[in-house]
Every structure is written in C-alpha cells, then in structure tokens.
Amino acid sequence: MKLYHSVTSPFVRKVMVTAHELGLVGRLELLPAAAHPVNRDGGIVAHNPLGQVPTLILDDGTVLADSRVICEYLDHVGQGGLFPRNSDRWGVLAAQSLGDGLLDAALLVVYEGRVRAETERSEAWVAGQRAKMESALQRIEAVAPSLGDRLDIGTITFACALGYLDLRFPEIDWHGRYPAADAWFARFNARPSMRATMPA
C-alpha cells in the first residue's frame, strides 16, 4: 500500500497512528506530497482528483481518500476494533466527527493566514472558525473524564486534533484552560503510536 504523506498533516497523522496501533506501518510505503489548497500537487491529483492527503493506493490500484475511509479500511485489514460494531459505534463515530471538525476549523484558520493575501483575509471568517475550535474544545473537556483508557478512532482523532493545536496554535493555551482534556491528552500522547508520529 502506498500513502501520500505529509508529516505535519493532522489527518495523515491520524492514519499513521491508526496504522501503528494495528501493526500495519511496515506495509505502508510513504510517498512525499506537497498538498496545497491552491497550488495542487499533480502527483496526488493523478490518483485523487481532490489532491488531498492522506490518499492511499491499495496494492490492486484502488484509491482511498479521506482519513475516515482510510482508517476504517486499515482497521478492517488489521482486524482491529477501532471502529466498534456494537452499540458503541455511534458514539465513537460522533467523537471522530467532532475531532475532525476541530481540525477542519483549525486548518481553515491556518490557510487564511498562509495562503490568502493579507488584503483578502477576513477577520470575521477567522473569528468564526476559532469559535468552532473553542466549542469543540469545550465538548472535549466535558467528555474527557469519561474517556479513560479508550482506544478507538474517536480518541485517536481527539489526540491528533489536540496535537495539531500544539503545533499550530500554541498561543491559545488549551492545556491551561481545559484541565480534564489536558490530563487525558497527557496519558494518550504517551502512547508509542503518538510518539512515533509527532511532527518534527
């Protein structure tokens, strides 16, 4: 399997954490990628018309895009339980959606500052995305005491989202403002899968 990869992409990190937890890292060939919302990487676009990472090419040539799809495929291949099949499934998928939504908002803020010309930037747009980030953090703070030692696609997504905030938004000091989330993240972030995928 070949994975279009970027070490700083939180969605790629989500896939890599999943692969580590399932013992599948050795089966992934990592392909360098320069995904960009404007200057698209033609190498990725040749396989995935959206030009996004992560993009996974299976051994038979099938292409899977979107971290949610790729992670579920890896869970299927690795016969893991990161996507429960029982009544817990919907809560886990809802947690994944919340974490992905936090990441979507954070990435839009990053793109607004890095990709748009200063004269094209919208303070209202940025404020709206930052409000989504705060709302998501408040919800994670509320559920953090109940997460315990859970390992599933929901907790993996939470951890990758919080790690991305550390990378790109240290000024928001979520550690100091959300103590329950901070305590949970400290435990989860010590997992070998998280240490191995930490952005340089």
Side-chain angles (χ1 to χ4, degrees):
M1 295 182 288
K2 298 178 180 180
L3 180 71
Y4 279 98
H5 176 271
S6 169
V7 294
T8 58
S9 164
F11 292 109
V12 170
R13 188 182 189 191
K14 180 178 157 186
V15 169
M16 294 303 297
V17 170
T18 297
H20 275 278
E21 293 290 350
L22 296 168
L24 296 175
V25 171
R27 294 178 59 178
L28 294 176
E29 177 186 349
L30 303 183
L31 304 177
H36 190 276
V38 177
N39 303 315
R40 303 198 306 151
D41 184 327
I44 307 173
V45 173
H47 299 282
N48 172 5
L50 300 178
Q52 297 171 332
V53 291
T55 293
L56 182 69
I57 305 173
L58 306 186
D59 294 338
D60 67 0
T62 301
V63 177
L64 301 179
D66 191 287
S67 65
R68 288 169 285 198
V69 176
I70 295 171
C71 288
E72 188 157 8
Y73 175 78
L74 294 177
D75 193 54
H76 169 75
V77 170
Q79 299 181 340
L82 301 180
F83 289 78
R85 298 297 172 188
N86 58 20
S87 60
D88 294 335
R89 177 175 178 81
W90 307 113
V92 168
L93 292 182
Q96 177 182 218
S97 293
L98 176 62
D100 282 345
L102 171 53
L103 283 175
D104 286 338
L107 281 167
L108 287 172
V109 173
V110 170
Y111 290 156
E112 190 76 2
R114 292 187 172 190
V115 177
R116 286 185 183 273
E118 188 171 355
T119 56
E120 297 176 344
R121 295 174 193 163
S122 167
E123 292 183 11
W125 173 264
V126 171
Q129 302 310 313
R130 286 185 175 272
K132 291 180 187 179
M133 292 163 60
E134 286 298 326
S135 295
L137 283 167
Q138 290 165 10
R139 180 62 59 87
I140 294 172
E141 174 72 4
V143 302
S146 68
L147 296 178
D149 295 325
R150 264 181 49 189
L151 175 64
D152 54 49
I153 197 59
T155 55
I156 288 172
T157 308
F158 280 175
C160 290
L162 294 174
Y164 187 71
L165 296 186
D166 285 346
L167 177 68
R168 298 296 190 211
F169 298 90
E171 74 281 0
I172 70 174
D173 185 31
W174 71 265
H175 292 276
R177 296 186 297 115
Y178 298 106
D182 175 60
W184 171 79
F185 179 73
R187 296 192 303 273
F188 197 96
N189 199 41
R191 297 186 70 85
S193 63
M194 291 292 290
R195 308 314 290 178
T197 59
M198 188 169 292

